[in-house]
Amino acid sequence: MATKIVVDPVSRIEGHLKIEAMVENGVVKEAKSSGMMYRGLENILLGRDPRDAARIMQRICGVCPTSHGLAAAFALDELYGVNGNITDNGRILRNLIQGANFVQSHILHFYQLAALDYVDVTAMADYSGSDPEMKKVKDFIARGHLGPFVPRYEGDYRLTKEENRTAVAHYVAALNMRRLAHEAVTVFGGKMPHNMSIVAGGATSAPSVDKIASFLWKMEQLTDFIDTVYLPDVLMVAKRYSDYFGIGAGCKQFLSFGVFDLDTDPDLTKRQRHFPQGIVKGSDLKLRRVDPNKITEEVQSSWFADNGPLHPYDGQTVADRDKAGAYSWCKSPRYDGEVLEVGPLARMVTAYVAGDKEVKGMVDSVLGEFKASPSALFSVLGRHAARAIECKIVAEKLKSWVLQLKPGEPTFTDFNLDVTSRGMGLHEAPRGALGHWIVAEGGKTKNYQAVVPTTWNAGPIDSKGQPGPMEQSMIGTKVRDARNPFELVRIVRSYDPCLSCAVHVVTPKGEDLGRFVVGGEA
C-alpha cells in the first residue's frame, strides 16, 4: 500500500503551490508539483503599446518585479533596435536596481521563508536577555501567539538552544536589512515594488553624487550583515544538517541566461555578463552555449490548450480547465527537450565551470568545510549555499559599480516607435533564468510570452514522461512521517519557488483551492 501525501498550500513561498507525493516503505516514488492559479497576465498586453510591457509585466510579482521589468526592457530594446546602443550609465543603473533586488530577495528567502524549517523558535520561551525584539518573541510565545512562525511542519531541530536564539534574533534583524535593500532599489528605481526607472532604451533616473552616496552607504550596511550574519548562519545550519547535502538533487542539469551586463552587445547570447550564460550538466561539468531557438514550453500536464511544444514567440495562453490528465497551471519549459534547473545554484555552477575565480574560491571554501566534492552542490543545502555566496558577490560588486556612474551623462537612448518586429529578453531573476518574448505589428503587441524561473523548476511532467526539476528532487526522498513531511517542504523551499511569477490571476469562483493536509491510503 502506498501513502499519498498532499500539501496544499505549501506555506512560506510566494503564491499558491500544491505538492503531492506517493510514498512506499517511507520513500517517495512519485511526485507532482501543481501551480493552483490561472496564468494570463501576458494576454493583458495584447493590442497595447509594446512599451507598456516594462510597467505591466512587473506586476507579475511584488518580490522580483525589477527582473520582469528588465527582461521586458531587453525584449523592447531589440524590438525597437536600440539594444546595442544603451549608454554606460543606463547599463549600470539597470544593474544597480536589479542587484539591490537580488540582495533583498536572497535575505528574504533564507530568513523569512526557509530558515524556519531548521530553527526552533520555542527556544525563546525562557529567554532572559535584554534584546527588546527578542523579548517580544518571548512574549508572543508566552501568550500562545507564535505567528508568523506557525503553522508549520515540525522538523528534526538540531541547533542548540543558543543557536536557535541567535537565528531568531537574526530573523528579526533580516527584516530591517530587507527594508534597507528595498530602499537601495528606490534610490535609482524611484519606488519598490514596481520601479519606474527601467525602460526600453536604458533608465530614466539621473545619477547624482547624493544618490551615489546614499546607495553606497546602504550597500555597506548590507555587506556587513551578509558577512557577519547571513553567511555564518548558512554555515551554522549546514553543519547541523550536513546530510541535506545529499538530499534533493533533482535533474542535475542547469541553465543560466547570465546577469549583470558588462557590455551592450545586441546579441544577448554573446553579451558579457558578470555571471555568465550557459548550460551545465552534472554528468560532465562542461559549459555549453545557450541557443534560444531550442527553448520550448509544453502543456501536456497543464490546464492549457495543447498544440505541442512551442517556442515562446509562438506560445499560446489559452485555458482548458477541464483538460484530462492536467494537474497544474504551470507550463513545462524545456531546452532541446531536456529538463533543466534554474536559479542561484545554476548561476554558481555555471560560473564555477566557466572558471570564475571569485565564485570558485568561495564555493571551494564552503565545500572544504565539509570535505565535499562539487557534486554536493546538487542538493538542498547546495541551493542555500549558492544563494548566500551569490548574495555576497553581488553586494560587493554593487559598491564598485555605483562608483562607475557619471553624473550629467545620458542614461537613455531614444528610438523610433513605428515597428513591426519582435524582441527577446534573456535575463536572470533571483530565482533563475527569465525570458520575455514579444511580437509586435503596426506598433501594437501581437503576442507576449514570459517563461519564468519557477515555471522551469516547478513545471509538471512533459510528453516524454519527464518530471520537472522540483518533482525529480522529491522522488527518492525518505519521509520519516507521512503526516509531518518536513523533508519535502525543505526540498521545495530550497528552490525558493515563486508561484506569483509562474501563475498570475485568481481562479474562477467555486473552484476548490485547498486541502490543507494530508495523508491517506491509496
Side-chain angles (χ1 to χ4, degrees), residues 160-384:
T160 66
K161 179 175 287 190
E162 191 56 40
E163 287 171 338
N164 277 307
R165 288 174 174 172
T166 297
V168 173
H170 293 166
Y171 173 103
V172 176
L175 294 171
N176 284 324
M177 290 299 105
R178 284 190 59 221
R179 172 188 54 77
L180 195 63
H182 276 314
E183 291 175 356
V185 174
T186 67
V187 170
F188 298 113
K191 69 185 187 75
M192 179 66 191
H194 315 315
N195 81 86
M196 299 303 293
S197 181
I198 293 175
V199 294
T204 60
S205 179
S208 66
V209 172
D210 287 348
K211 288 182 179 179
I212 291 170
S214 175
F215 186 91
L216 184 59
W217 177 75
K218 297 178 195 307
M219 295 314 304
E220 289 285 2
Q221 294 178 79
L222 286 161
T223 52
D224 181 67
F225 177 82
I226 293 165
D227 288 342
T228 62
V229 179
Y230 183 13
L231 285 169
D233 281 353
V234 171
L235 286 174
M236 176 180 72
V237 169
K239 287 175 181 177
R240 297 293 184 185
Y241 293 87
S242 58
D243 52 317
Y244 275 81
F245 275 118
I247 295 174
C251 62
K252 301 180 184 179
Q253 301 193 134
F254 303 94
L255 166 68
S256 170
F257 287 153
V259 64
F260 304 120
D261 287 354
L262 303 180
D263 64 31
T264 57
D265 192 310
D267 185 342
L268 291 179
T269 67
K270 297 178 181 178
R271 186 171 292 184
Q272 294 297 307
R273 288 174 161 171
H274 183 70
F275 293 131
Q277 184 177 112
I279 292 170
V280 175
K281 298 183 178 181
S283 57
D284 58 23
L285 291 179
K286 292 181 180 178
L287 189 65
R288 296 164 170 82
R289 185 176 175 181
V290 175
D291 180 356
N293 294 317
K294 294 183 178 180
I295 296 171
T296 59
E297 281 193 302
E298 295 190 23
V299 292
Q300 170 81 12
S301 302
S302 309
W303 288 303
F304 293 101
D306 193 351
N307 292 300
L310 295 175
H311 187 274
Y313 276 133
D314 304 312
Q316 300 176 2
T317 308
V318 180
D320 184 359
R321 183 62 182 86
D322 299 319
K323 181 177 174 181
Y327 62 90
S328 180
W329 285 112
C330 290
K331 297 180 182 180
S332 301
R334 297 292 182 262
Y335 181 86
D336 201 20
E338 294 188 310
V339 178
L340 300 178
E341 177 179 337
V342 303
L345 177 58
R347 287 192 292 271
M348 294 301 97
V349 168
T350 302
Y352 187 96
V353 173
D356 185 297
K357 292 182 180 179
E358 186 174 24
V359 170
K360 193 173 189 307
M362 292 190 70
V363 169
D364 285 344
S365 176
V366 171
L367 293 174
E369 291 269 351
F370 302 93
K371 297 180 174 58
S373 68
S375 62
L377 293 171
F378 312 149
S379 64
V380 169
L381 284 181
R383 294 185 189 97
H384 288 302

